[in-house]
Structures are given as structure tokens and as C-alpha cells.
Amino acid sequence: MKFTDQLAAAQRGNDSLLCVGLDPEPGKFPGKWKGDAGRIYDFCAAIVDATKDVACAFKPQIAYFAGNRAEDQLERLMAHIKRVAPSVPVILDAKRGDIGATAEQYAREAFERYQADAVTLSPFMGFDSIEPWLRYSGKGLILLCRTSNPGGSDLQAQKLANGDLLYEHVAKLAQGPWNTTGQLGLVVGATFPGEIARVRELAPTLPLLIPGVGAQGGDAQATVKAGFKAGGTIVVNSSRAVLYASSGDDFASAARAVAVQTRAALNAARSSSAAG
């Protein structure tokens, strides 16, 4: 199944726009697990088990695993998600951005080793950095466009010779000539609802992955109003607010409670936006 179809099915099945980000920090683990990188799989698997019927996607951030020498645990986690939540797609947050044979190896890592359904990519080396990934039929390729960090403006908000801002140009390329197989999406931060609306205007049919709701301060109502339109879905990520809802033995149930609350807020915003 194509990533876009899998995502749409998961959103309908779990009535959710929420993506649960998996950014394991052993120093924040509960109880006896605190500081133990060997428990990354156990911690993340417990979060997955608690939220698998609430989320439309999971998004493991590869750096949190690689930085702790836990790539083997990431492989186990990906297999676990496929087993317990086969209808929920997994977006590997890797932000790769290279060309040629190197890009081919990164694609093998994401789609063959880790069995991801989609991956985040940096498009700033041009189409050459996207093309090797397009060879994996049906996989989602989600390009950085207007990111949630303040420093994103250093490049993304710069005006080009044709009058477009750089992020607008990326959105146009992704909606148009680069999207040769219908696999592309865009990353747009929740801290910039005006830019979300602009990206949606330029890329009306692409899925938008929107980080920044929750711990980073993004507003759910403004995010959904700006990005969710007929024909173009959004995937709203929350990581720390869900993962570290509790530092006690109830961390998984607390994570579920926050995920349920966040899903409800996003759905309420969607209903309000549709009514308006």
C-alpha cells in the first residue's frame, strides 16, 4: 500500500491527525530505567502499545537511537510497530540530504533495514537528492519546507530572484515537477501558522507533517485551520508532551492520556474549521 493511502486509512481508522514522535532520552526514563540506554526499545514499545489506536503515525527520530548506539533497538522497535500496529505508518525522521550512491545507501537504510513507510529529507541539494528515494515505490518522502525552529528563517524565508521565498519555491517544486510518482509531502512547523496556510495554498494535495504542537508551543486550533483542507491532509506530531507525560511507573498510561487529549483537540479544531 502507498504511504499516502496507508496514512489516510490510519487517520480514518483511528479518527486521528496525531503522530506520536519517538525521541527516547534515557535520562528522562521512569524509575529504574532512568539513564539506561539499554531500555530504549522497552520504553518506546510501551509508548507504542499505549497509543497505537490513538495515532495516525509514529515518528522515530533516528538520532536518539544512533546517539545511544541503539540502532539495533530501532530495528526491533520498527518490527514491533509492524506487528502490533500494522495499519499505522512509520515515518523515520532522518532528514537525509545527499546525492548519488550515498543517497542510495541512506534509502536502503531507511526502507530496507528499518522498513520505514516514509522518511524526512532535506531537499536543499536539489532534485538529485530526492531522485534515488523515488525508486522505492509507494514510500513517502517528506521534504523540509518551513521548519519550526527560529533559525529556519535564515534560509527558508530568503527571497529568490523570481520573488518567491525559498520555502515557497520548495512547496511549488514538491507539488509540481519533483512529485513524479506522487510520493512527496512537506514538513511545516506549527509555530508558523501563516506559513502553513501559504504552503497549503501552494501544495493543496500534499500531506503536511507538522511538528511543534505541545512542548514547542504550537497551537492546535491555528495549525489545523491553516493546514487541513479537503484533498490535503495534515499529520501533527507531538513527541515530548506524550513521551514524558509522567516520570513514574504510570508513564505509558499517562502518555496515552495526553495522546487522547491531543487527538481530541485536533479533531475539535478540524470540526470547527470545517464548520467555519
Side-chain angles (χ1 to χ4, degrees):
M1 183 184 294
K2 288 175 57 177
F3 167 71
T4 50
D5 295 334
Q6 189 179 6
L7 176 63
Q11 290 186 331
R12 289 192 303 269
N14 286 349
D15 189 26
S16 181
L17 300 174
L18 173 65
C19 173
V20 174
L22 300 171
D23 302 357
E25 297 181 64
K28 295 182 179 180
F29 286 178
K32 294 179 180 179
W33 291 2
K34 186 172 183 177
D36 185 354
R39 292 289 190 173
I40 285 176
Y41 167 80
D42 297 319
F43 177 80
C44 291
I47 297 292
V48 168
D49 291 346
T51 61
K52 64 181 185 291
D53 62 334
V54 181
C56 71
F58 290 108
K59 184 176 72 64
Q61 181 15 281
I62 195 168
Y64 287 87
F65 295 85
N68 286 288
R69 299 178 181 272
E71 294 95 333
D72 59 333
Q73 294 186 68
L74 177 56
E75 287 189 69
R76 290 174 59 203
L77 178 64
M78 298 294 258
H80 178 76
I81 297 172
K82 297 292 185 184
R83 185 167 58 252
V84 303
S87 63
V88 180
V90 184
I91 302 166
L92 183 64
D93 193 357
K95 300 183 179 72
R96 301 303 194 201
D98 218 312
I99 59 173
T102 303
E104 291 172 5
Q105 294 305 310
Y106 278 139
R108 284 187 61 206
E109 176 194 37
F111 296 141
E112 297 182 28
R113 179 181 182 186
Y114 294 123
Q115 296 295 305
D117 299 298
V119 67
T120 58
L121 300 176
S122 174
F124 298 108
M125 288 184 76
F127 184 71
D128 293 357
S129 64
I130 308 303
E131 188 276 331
W133 301 80
L134 292 170
R135 301 171 198 168
Y136 285 83
S137 178
K139 298 293 188 179
L141 313 177
I142 306 176
L143 311 184
L144 299 180
C145 181
R146 185 64 176 106
T147 57
S148 58
N149 60 305
S153 297
D154 294 347
L155 295 178
Q156 297 158 18
Q158 295 303 302
K159 185 172 287 189
L160 304 179
N162 66 359
D164 286 345
L165 301 184
L166 179 57
Y167 82 85
E168 295 175 326
H169 187 60
V170 171
K172 289 180 179 180
L173 289 171
Q175 178 68 46
W178 282 7
N179 201 15
T180 58
T181 58
Q183 295 171 242
L184 300 188
L186 295 167
V187 177
V188 189
T191 48
F192 299 108
E195 282 84 348
I196 296 173
R198 178 58 176 155
V199 170
R200 176 51 78 208
E201 179 184 355
L202 297 171
T205 65
L206 300 191
L208 304 183
L209 173 61
I210 304 178
V213 168
Q216 294 184 49
D219 178 76
Q221 180 78 31
T223 295
V224 175
K225 182 178 180 180
F228 188 86
K229 305 293 181 185
T233 192
I234 60 174
V235 183
V236 183
N237 183 77
S238 183
S239 299
R240 285 171 284 170
V242 174
L243 296 183
Y244 307 113
S246 171
S247 59
D249 292 340
D250 66 339
F251 75 94
S253 60
R256 176 177 178 81
V258 171
V260 168
Q261 182 182 28
T262 306
R263 178 181 67 170
L266 294 171
N267 286 347
R270 177 173 57 181
S271 297
S272 174
S273 178

